[in-house]
Structures are given as structure tokens and as C-alpha cells.
Amino acid sequence: MRAAVCRLFLLLLLLLLLLLLPPPPAAAYFGLTGKEALTHFPSLGTSTNSAQGKAHMKQCDLLKLSRKQKRLCRREPGLAETLRDAIRLGIMECQFQFRSERWNCSLEGRTSLLKRGFKETAFLYAVSSAALTHSLARACSAGRMERCTCDDSPDLENRKAWQWGVCGDNLKYSTKFLKKFLGQKRIGKDLRAKVDIHNTNVGIKAVKNGLKTTCKCHGVSGSCAVRTCWKQLSPFHEIGRLLKLRYDDAVKVFSTTNDAVGHSELASPQRHSHSTKHHASPRATDLVYVEDSPSFCRPSKYSLGTAGRTCSREGNCDSMCCGRGYNTQSHLVTFSCHCQVQWCCYVECQQCMQEEVVYSCKQ
Ligand SMILES: *[C@@H]1O[C@H](CO)[C@@H](O)[C@H](O)[C@H]1NC(C)=O
């Protein structure tokens, strides 16, 4: 009997040990293969925590900013690091969302793309401004910036949350700052400038709409005698997914003169209407574009083309490879299997092999 109890105890200990062991690479949890587009960018390495005085100024100089932006950056300790985080966040999310599209959001060709008015340009503007808004709001609540703190909206719930030491993500500050930083005051006559501003605002709005109020109960055994609430941003993946949907439904626009107001504005052909005479303004949530995109099949100044891209045979090979066909390659992958707990106290596994087939687009 005693031996049994002892065994049970040891088994529990073992379980605990297993829980404490370093987890397998995160990729395994999400069924990722490790070949996904979520790569890091060496030129935008993680921020070093040396943001003191001079070091901060230097960080600002490393970023490609306008004069006014540089001035704002220098005035705001913590901003340069946050901007860099935001750039990386935006790129990673873009590459994740476009991992199985012909245009995979690679950095090649980005400069040329940003000069045009494609749907892809629209997505880049929106995802970048969303990432900036998100990162700034997070940085405020995490105390990484000197000039802003938690969400300090004057509503009562929020102040209570403050007392409990719960910090809301400061979206109000980040939105205000971002508009100043991007210099959106003057709305140009130029169609492209309007389109860029519109798409930038779509990104900001996507973050704002994802704001959730989270509450927590306090009191004797969850009686919820006191409830504190705070505002929390949704994970950036959710915002990325939303923007990708908006990209799929992006609206083509042109410039029209509004006679009543006397200045030009964006217009799209009226949806759900066969009459071409009627125009409608695009909705504030629509991504808008002015030019049809190239196919991205072949190398161009916008992308490297799709030769060599991996695709899934049941899924997107036909469209990804643009009808050129694909190569099939199989290789063996090894993984741990038939794992058994050995007495006492380790796990023994065998190495199993499995054939994996990879499809990739022909030249
Ligand atoms: C995008 O596709 C190109 C080939 O067209 C490839 O070289 C590149 O690594 C891909 N980029 C990402 C981030 O997946």
C-alpha cells in the first residue's frame, strides 16, 4: 500500500518535471513547419535596452525619418525602439497573411510597390499604421515610453482599474500621436495622397475596433463584489486577418469633384447598382486602390515572381504557379515517436521517419 502511494507520488513528480521541461519549439504548437514567412529581419534587430539619453538619439538617427519625425522621435524617449518594433510587427504580419499568395510581401520590390496605387500598396499602408498604433499603445501601458502611461480616460471603471494596478492599453494617446507623427493635417488634392491617408486610417480604425473591455472579479471566492475593467487590444494577428479580408474586398476608387462642397473626394462606383452614373464614397473601413495589380507571376520590379515557391497541391498550386506547373519532391523527415516513460525518471523515444512531399512552382 505504502509502495503504491510512493509510486503515485513519484509519478506526480515526474509529471511536474515534464511540465517544467523546456517546451518544444513554439512552431510545433501551431502546426507550422518552420518554413513560413515569419522571418526576422536582421537589419531591424530586437531593441537593445540601452535607451539612455544619447543612445536614444542614436536610435532615432538609425531610422529613416523626415526632419519633423526625427524631432518628435528625439523628444520622446522610448519611441525609436517602439517604431522599430512596429515595423517588424507590420512586416511579419503582412508576410504571414500573404504566405500563400503570389505576392508574399517580401521586402524585394517594396519601394516600387509603395509608389503605386495597387491593392497591395493599400494593404501595406494599412498594416503599417495598424502596427504603429498597436505598438505605441502597448508601449505606453508597458511603461516603455516616458510621455504616456496607461489608458487614462476619465471614466470611473478605468480609474478603479488603475487602483488595482491594472493598466489599459493607451489607444487614445497612440492614435493622436500617430496622426501628428504622420503629418496628416493637410489633405492634398492629389488622388494618391488621399488614397494613402484613407488606407492609413483604415489601419488605425482596425486597431480601435478591436479594443475589448476585459473585466476581472475580486471578492470572497469569486463573489465579484468588486469588478475592475480595463481596455485591451486584440492580438495583432486578429487585426492582420481583418485587414487581409479588407484587402480581398478592396474598392477601386477615382477622384470626383463634389460640387456642393467644392473640393475633390474619393468615389467608388455604386455597389449593388447597375447605373454607372451614381458614385458613392468608399466606407471608412474599405481599403481603396486606384490601379489594377500586376499578376506577380514573373520577376518584376515589384516581386521575385513565384518560381520556386512552395504550394499545396489540393490548394493553391494552380494559381500560385500561374499555370506553369509544379515540381514534386519528397524527402524523409525524422521525428520522435513511441515515447515511453522509463522508471525512473526519463522519457525514451524512438526516431521515426516519414516521407514528406513538397510541391514547388516551376520556372
Ligand atoms: C517570397 O517569395 C520569394 C520567391 O518568389 C522567395 O524568395 C522569398 O523567400 C519569399 N519571401 C518570404 C518572406 O516568404
Side-chain angles (χ1 to χ4, degrees):
M1 178 64 195
R2 213 156 142 193
V5 172
C6 188
R7 263 178 197 214
L8 191 69
F9 179 73
L10 271 171
L11 203 67
L12 280 174
L13 202 72
L14 185 69
L15 270 175
L16 193 71
L17 241 147
L18 277 177
L19 283 176
L20 292 177
L21 282 176
Y29 285 129
F30 305 110
L32 300 175
T33 61
K35 289 187 217 103
E36 276 78 11
L38 283 162
T39 48
H40 282 276
F41 297 91
S43 59
L44 301 163
T46 33
S47 63
T48 48
N49 266 335
S50 60
Q52 305 272 318
K54 285 245 172 60
H56 169 70
M57 301 283 181
K58 223 169 170 184
Q59 298 266 7
C60 290
D61 291 335
L62 286 175
L63 294 164
K64 218 172 130 191
L65 300 172
S66 72
R67 274 227 330 258
K68 182 183 156 214
Q69 286 170 338
K70 206 158 267 183
R71 205 176 60 233
L72 282 169
C73 181
R74 284 157 168 264
R75 260 207 340 233
E76 181 105 28
L79 182 64
E81 292 76 9
T82 306
L83 288 178
R84 234 173 26 173
D85 287 349
I87 293 168
R88 201 172 42 234
L89 183 66
I91 291 173
M92 282 172 55
E93 189 56 33
C94 180
Q95 299 197 340
F96 179 74
Q97 294 299 335
F98 283 84
R99 64 199 180 281
S100 40
E101 305 276 337
R102 286 182 192 162
W103 176 68
N104 66 0
C105 196
S106 74
L107 293 176
E108 266 92 358
R110 170 154 317 184
T111 319
S112 307
L113 261 182
L114 284 173
K115 288 184 192 141
R116 304 299 294 263
F118 303 137
K119 273 163 89 166
E120 289 74 22
T121 320
F123 185 85
L124 283 173
Y125 270 89
V127 82
S128 308
S129 68
L132 274 171
T133 312
H134 200 269
S135 301
L136 274 170
R138 274 280 156 84
C140 289
S141 62
R144 287 197 297 267
M145 309 256 291
E146 249 170 46
R147 284 173 182 244
C148 66
T149 53
C150 298
D151 178 17
D152 52 1
S153 331
D155 54 81
L156 190 67
E157 276 197 329
N158 219 343
R159 238 182 290 150
K160 249 196 265 164
W162 251 67
Q163 282 170 0
W164 285 88
V166 180
C167 197
D169 291 321
N170 195 339
L171 195 59
K172 216 163 69 187
Y173 176 88
S174 79
T175 312
K176 213 170 96 189
F177 178 85
L178 191 63
K179 294 222 164 161
K180 194 164 75 182
F181 191 74
L182 298 177
Q184 284 194 6
K185 281 268 165 59
R186 55 199 161 72
I187 294 199
K189 280 229 160 75
D190 160 35
L191 175 63
R192 266 309 307 287
K194 274 206 198 96
V195 163
D196 292 347
I197 290 173
H198 179 96
N199 291 327
T200 300
N201 289 336
V202 171
I204 296 174
K205 209 157 271 162
V207 178
K208 207 181 264 178
N209 290 346
L211 205 64
K212 285 188 195 86
T213 302
T214 309
C215 294
K216 191 173 170 177
C217 283
H218 309 269
V220 190
S221 59
S223 65
C224 211
V226 182
R227 202 168 71 125
T228 55
C229 300
W230 65 96
K231 303 232 170 75
Q232 199 173 32
L233 297 169
S234 45
F236 199 67
H237 260 335
E238 274 177 32
I239 293 155
R241 200 171 53 214
L242 178 71
L243 290 177
K244 175 64 164 46
L245 292 175
R246 303 266 167 79
Y247 160 90
D248 293 332
D249 287 334
V251 174
K252 194 168 183 177
V253 293
F254 51 88
S255 188
T256 180
T257 307
N258 184 333
D259 294 326
V261 198
H263 61 70
S264 68
E265 54 187 35
L266 295 180
S268 58
Q270 183 88 272
R271 292 174 174 203
H272 319 297
S273 159
H274 294 291
S275 155
T276 47
K277 269 192 179 163
H278 293 94
H279 311 311
S281 302
R283 289 173 300 187
T285 50
D286 287 331
L287 281 180
V288 300
Y289 67 102
V290 287
E291 293 179 87
D292 292 325
S293 305
S295 71
F296 298 109
C297 284
R298 293 283 178 191
S300 69
K301 62 176 170 179
Y302 305 118
S303 77
L304 294 172
T306 64
R309 290 279 305 279
T310 54
C311 55
S312 73
R313 195 165 68 151
E314 287 79 32
N316 62 351
C317 277
D318 286 339
S319 88
M320 170 83 83
C321 305
C322 308
R324 298 189 306 266
Y326 50 88
N327 295 316
T328 308
Q329 217 177 23
S330 64
H331 52 197
L332 290 173
V333 285
T334 55
F335 60 98
S336 298
C337 58
H338 306 306
C339 294
Q340 275 183 334
V341 177
Q342 299 294 321
W343 196 259
C344 174
C345 298
Y346 59 96
V347 178
E348 216 174 55
C349 295
Q350 288 173 7
Q351 290 292 309
C352 289
M353 303 244 243
Q354 196 183 18
E355 193 177 39
E356 196 184 74
V357 185
V358 176
Y359 304 95
S360 60
C361 293
K362 285 189 174 161
Q363 287 288 331

